[in-house]
Amino acid sequence: MMESVGVYRFCGCTAKNKMKCDSRWEMTASETAPTSAYSSPARSLGDTGITPLSPSHIVNDADPNVSEQQTFLVVVAIDFGTTSSGYAYSFTKEPECIHVMRRWEGGDPGVSNQKTPTTILLTPERKFHSFGYAARDFYHDLDPNEAKQWLYLEKFKMKLHTTGDLTMDTELTAANGKKVKALEIFAYALQYFKEQALKELSDQAGSEFENSDVRWVITVPAIWKQPAKQFMRQAAYQAGLASPENSEQLIIALEPEAASIYCRKLRLHQMTDLSSKAAVNGYSSSDTVGAGFAQAKEHVRRNRQSRTFLVENVIGEIWSELEEGDKYVVVDSGGGTVDLTVHQIRLPEGHLKELYKATGGPYGSLGVDYEFEKLLCKIFGEDFIEQFKIKRPAAWVDLMIAFESRKRAAAPDRTNPLNITLPFSFIDYYKKFRGHSVEHALRKSNVDFVKWSSQGMLRMSPDAMNALFKPTIDSIIEHLRDLFQKPEVSTVKFLFLVGGFAEAPLLQQAVQAAFGDKCRVIIPQDVGLTILKGAVLFGLDPAVIKVRRSPLTYGVGVLNRYVEGKHPPEKLLVKDGTRWCTDVFDKFISADQSVALGELVKRSYTPAKPSQLVIVINIYSSELDDVSFITDPGVKKCGTLRLDLTGASSTNVPARREIQTLMQFGDTEIKATAIDIATSKSVKVGIDFLNY
């Protein structure tokens, strides 16, 4: 038996109210022989001085995904994007074939329709009506007065990134100003993709395809925090993709990681090398970036009748130049966010190791839309634009669709103007609102680079359009420059530019100009589908990323023996004659710490009373590595660890039970398991970052 040298309680409160608080759980600090399988939650308890509370790691050599993988017939990945979404799949018996979803109905001129807009329409009774092009077209055709009753939502994914206090009750605002629960909208969208994918699989198989045969993968930005990832998982459960009891059926994939996995497989004809002196994809670097990429897109368009992509069983031709330990950056530039990840290749298998924690920010192509809206406000007045969005929501959507089409035509070498059609209701409503014409407003606005066309269009000079891109692109370049200053990133060989915004020649040129002398800038062919195809590969082999970096420092609060002169007086707590230091931060893992897949952090907890059936422990996080107390600046409560002992109870429970908890930080989500040492029974454990 272990000899107990100290017992203490912790409730997560501050020192001044500690004595008044009825603590919720109790930890034991134990002195064990070196051969013991157990580690103390606070090794310094009982020492004359405090020592660092470092995590106890064990490495699990068994791949937890191998046995799970065999039970699924197919992997379906859903790329849930800010502006557009789609799915792709691969049968586990044919992992080299990735099938991209059927063609969507509808579509915009000049816009690839292999993905569909992330738009959703609810009836006035708040029931799901349609998604994607179908939702947009139906909403467009509604009578303006009737449209005000319908709930139309678009680009709502960013809410999960921008909401600091995300909960299950977080709301979204529809185009008509009405509020709706975000969880419902995300669940409706995922349920739609589930039904579409299962129908396509059933049609292909010639018989009903069961959901239980599918392993689902959902993509999220790498810079998303744990609450947003958990929110997406909860929405998937509500949509019926998986369940808490069968959580392994759903995998959360990080978008730049998925892109990285796919980029490993690239052959030379599947990419555009902006840095190349030789001809790649049939053109040379003397061609403009825009012209070269147009050729690549034309090549893709001609081959798009086939929705099946073949991938290499081994690593692709691009890696023939890579040696063990070489590094590359993936820049995932999407609609809402830009996500940067740095990977190192491990040969011969081509496994990947994350070298620097994922960084990025809200620098997606939506930033260009915001600049256009600001321009409209400058010309027509902010008061009018706000009223128009409320009174004519469908017409506002039409206007932004027209802008999207012209936005995609922007290029560094463009000389002719871009025309943006103004909806008739915009022209009509403006005259009623202001008492004069749109043309008059343009003349009075002093915005020289936007003119009025007699065909009822705004005529923008190429410089005017380029100016709308500038703030967003500048933010991306600045963020990349900061990243390249890091020692881990100094010797990068490749920069892969992926995501929907990577199609923009203006962004391609800016990245090439800023970093072409430091590394080779590569754009995969059909760049908007890179993440989708990579997510399928990740679902087939989730263990391909062997090492990740923790974005934050995580830990819990504990009591340690108080040491005079070392600990602040306000942290002193005297209980039963023993002097304790309160609020000590017991660190599980540090920010930017390297952690291997399967590597576990081990802690043991004890119920305060033998009859206690639930242990709830507060989890704290910080962006800083050097954290001493849970009350330090920048430390905040971020979640709870909940141990449910009801299933592990038995008649032979000892007076002091030890519940051993194993936490995994090396996956795309933080996971935990627990066991009752006395009974060897599994304990139900949950980490909650949403409801704490």
Side-chain angles (χ1 to χ4, degrees):
M1 284 292 291
M2 297 185 295
E3 181 194 353
S4 178
V5 295
V7 177
Y8 53 93
R9 299 183 179 191
F10 167 72
C11 61
C13 52
T14 55
K16 63 185 178 185
N17 65 4
K18 183 81 69 174
M19 299 298 287
K20 299 175 185 175
C21 180
D22 178 24
S23 69
R24 299 165 74 186
W25 60 280
E26 187 174 65
M27 274 183 164
T28 63
S30 308
E31 199 172 282
T32 68
T35 55
S36 169
Y38 317 132
S39 64
S40 163
R43 297 181 199 151
S44 60
L45 196 68
D47 291 352
T48 52
I50 270 192
T51 56
L53 297 171
S54 59
S56 163
H57 288 92
I58 61 173
V59 177
N60 179 5
D61 293 325
D63 182 0
N65 299 297
V66 171
S67 59
E68 297 285 350
Q69 200 172 307
Q70 307 311 314
T71 61
F72 301 108
L73 298 178
V74 67
V75 169
V76 179
I78 300 171
D79 180 6
F80 198 123
T82 303
T83 52
S84 61
S85 300
Y87 68 85
Y89 57 93
S90 178
F91 294 97
T92 50
K93 288 183 178 177
E94 292 182 310
E96 68 283 354
C97 295
I98 299 174
H99 309 273
V100 177
M101 63 200 180
R102 299 179 204 187
R103 279 179 168 277
W104 296 92
E105 295 304 316
D108 299 323
V111 180
S112 159
N113 66 346
Q114 278 211 288
K115 291 208 291 189
T116 191
T118 308
T119 53
I120 195 166
L121 183 64
L122 305 188
T123 67
E125 295 75 39
R126 295 174 178 256
K127 301 293 183 191
F128 175 81
H129 180 271
S130 49
F131 187 90
Y133 287 117
R136 212 182 64 184
D137 294 347
F138 187 91
Y139 185 61
H140 168 273
D141 292 340
L142 285 170
D143 177 81
N145 288 323
E146 195 181 352
K148 292 177 193 173
Q149 307 306 316
W150 290 67
L151 284 82
Y152 179 84
L153 297 102
E154 61 179 355
K155 299 165 186 167
F156 47 85
K157 180 184 169 188
M158 275 298 284
K159 184 79 172 181
L160 301 196
H161 179 70
T162 55
T163 304
D165 55 346
L166 185 67
T167 71
M168 304 284 264
D169 296 319
T170 295
E171 291 185 320
L172 300 172
T173 305
N176 62 0
K178 291 182 180 176
K179 304 276 189 187
V180 61
K181 276 196 175 180
L183 189 68
E184 287 180 22
I185 297 300
F186 279 85
Y188 276 143
L190 291 171
Q191 187 176 358
Y192 173 79
F193 280 115
K194 174 193 163 192
E195 289 170 1
Q196 292 289 323
L198 288 177
K199 186 174 187 307
E200 181 170 343
L201 289 166
S202 297
D203 290 349
Q204 201 161 331
S207 59
E208 197 72 22
F209 217 91
E210 297 295 332
N211 186 63
S212 57
D213 294 329
V214 179
R215 164 166 264 174
W216 296 95
V217 181
I218 298 175
T219 65
V220 303
I223 54 172
W224 270 16
K225 295 195 166 49
Q226 292 298 325
K229 293 178 187 176
Q230 184 181 333
F231 185 96
M232 196 60 103
R233 181 169 279 278
Q234 290 299 326
Y237 290 162
Q238 191 163 313
L241 273 71
S243 65
E245 296 74 32
N246 191 19
S247 61
E248 291 298 317
Q249 190 177 0
L250 170 67
I251 299 177
I252 299 294
L254 308 182
E255 287 162 2
E257 279 192 3
S260 177
I261 292 164
Y262 180 71
C263 287
R264 292 177 321 143
K265 306 278 190 179
L266 286 174
R267 297 183 70 92
L268 290 176
H269 71 272
Q270 294 173 311
M271 65 182 192
T272 305
D273 186 345
L274 298 185
S275 317
S276 177
K277 299 285 186 289
V280 176
N281 268 0
Y283 70 98
S284 70
S285 57
S286 59
D287 298 324
T288 63
V289 171
F293 203 72
Q295 287 183 33
K297 286 205 285 189
E298 175 62 20
H299 172 74
V300 171
R301 190 192 63 75
R302 286 197 303 268
N303 289 286
R304 192 162 273 161
Q305 294 308 314
S306 168
R307 295 180 300 108
T308 300
F309 294 84
L310 295 177
V311 293
E312 301 292 302
N313 285 323
V314 293
I315 54 176
E317 288 169 311
I318 195 162
W319 300 113
S320 61
E321 299 177 39
L322 284 178
E323 298 170 3
E324 174 75 29
D326 276 349
K327 308 168 188 175
Y328 62 93
V329 176
V330 176
V331 181
D332 170 23
S333 45
T337 55
V338 165
D339 239 356
L340 314 176
T341 195
V342 186
H343 278 163
Q344 187 174 44
I345 191 84
R346 284 178 164 186
L347 299 174
E349 300 91 349
H351 289 148
L352 302 175
K353 174 183 179 181
E354 188 177 25
L355 288 182
Y356 188 75
K357 65 181 180 181
T359 59
Y363 318 130
S365 61
L366 281 186
V368 185
D369 298 354
Y370 295 145
E371 290 299 316
F372 178 62
E373 190 175 327
K374 278 163 61 177
L375 178 64
L376 292 177
C377 289
K378 188 176 179 183
I379 296 169
F380 302 109
E382 191 174 341
D383 56 341
F384 166 73
I385 294 298
E386 288 306 312
Q387 275 300 303
F388 181 72
K389 284 160 77 172
I390 294 166
K391 300 289 187 185
R392 301 284 189 274
W396 174 255
V397 170
D398 285 349
L399 175 55
M400 293 312 292
I401 290 168
F403 173 69
E404 178 69 25
S405 173
R406 306 322 299 142
K407 181 173 85 174
R408 289 171 181 265
D413 55 346
R414 189 181 179 100
T415 54
N416 53 323
L418 296 116
N419 294 324
I420 299 162
T421 305
L422 285 182
F424 171 76
S425 60
F426 185 99
I427 298 166
D428 183 57
Y429 191 70
Y430 183 79
K431 189 154 193 174
K432 288 175 182 171
F433 191 88
R434 288 272 189 254
H436 57 250
S437 69
V438 164
E439 188 179 356
H440 180 266
L442 274 162
R443 280 203 307 270
K444 294 289 184 187
S445 68
N446 297 321
V447 178
D448 296 333
F449 40 79
V450 181
K451 305 293 183 188
W452 177 247
S453 155
S454 57
Q455 288 86 29
M457 297 178 179
L458 291 179
R459 178 166 287 178
M460 293 184 72
S461 71
D463 287 346
M465 179 63 84
N466 295 0
L468 299 182
F469 280 77
K470 192 176 186 309
T472 303
I473 289 177
D474 285 353
S475 295
I476 295 170
I477 299 299
E478 184 182 344
H479 204 90
L480 268 168
R481 281 210 175 99
D482 289 346
L483 183 67
F484 270 80
Q485 298 298 317
K486 310 293 181 192
E488 301 92 334
V489 193
S490 57
T491 55
V492 161
K493 246 187 182 175
F494 294 105
L495 184 154
F496 289 100
L497 194 56
V498 304
F501 196 25
E503 292 183 0
L506 290 166
L507 177 60
Q508 295 169 25
Q509 186 195 52
V511 172
Q512 171 62 19
F515 305 103
D517 60 338
K518 296 180 177 64
C519 58
R520 285 172 62 189
V521 180
I522 307 284
I523 304 173
Q525 188 189 83
D526 220 359
V527 65
L529 298 177
T530 304
I531 291 157
L532 188 52
K533 291 184 278 191
V536 174
L537 294 174
F538 181 64
L540 291 166
D541 180 16
V544 65
I545 311 275
K546 293 295 184 188
V547 180
R548 290 185 173 87
R549 296 275 177 158
S550 175
L552 297 169
T553 297
Y554 289 100
V556 295
V558 299
L559 298 175
N560 265 341
R561 291 280 183 149
Y562 187 85
V563 179
E564 204 71 49
K566 280 194 174 183
H567 295 138
E570 65 271 18
K571 298 293 183 187
L572 174 63
L573 169 69
V574 180
K575 189 164 175 62
D576 300 329
T578 304
R579 290 156 63 85
W580 300 101
C581 179
T582 65
D583 297 334
V584 176
F585 190 99
D586 174 23
K587 194 185 293 182
F588 291 160
I589 196 161
S590 299
D592 203 34
Q593 181 178 329
S594 183
V595 55
L597 189 67
E599 195 172 342
L600 303 172
V601 177
K602 183 165 57 172
R603 291 291 188 272
S604 289
Y605 301 116
T606 294
K609 301 171 186 173
S611 59
Q612 189 175 346
L613 295 178
V614 176
I615 302 175
V616 180
I617 303 161
N618 292 330
I619 301 174
Y620 295 83
S621 67
S622 172
E623 293 184 3
L624 304 173
D625 178 21
D626 185 20
V627 180
S628 301
F629 299 97
I630 61 171
T631 52
D632 285 356
V635 177
K636 58 184 181 182
K637 182 181 168 186
C638 67
T640 56
L641 179 70
R642 189 177 190 275
L643 303 173
D644 185 347
L645 310 184
T646 50
S649 300
S650 80
T651 51
N652 302 320
V653 173
R656 188 163 305 285
R657 298 167 71 184
E658 180 184 355
I659 309 300
Q660 191 181 89
T661 306
L662 301 170
M663 283 160 287
Q664 186 174 335
F665 292 88
D667 215 329
T668 57
E669 299 170 275
I670 296 174
K671 297 175 180 176
T673 55
I675 193 166
D676 188 330
I677 295 298
T679 63
S680 297
K681 285 187 177 179
S682 182
V683 173
K684 190 177 178 184
V685 57
I687 297 186
D688 194 343
F689 294 98
L690 276 175
N691 312 294
Y692 58 87

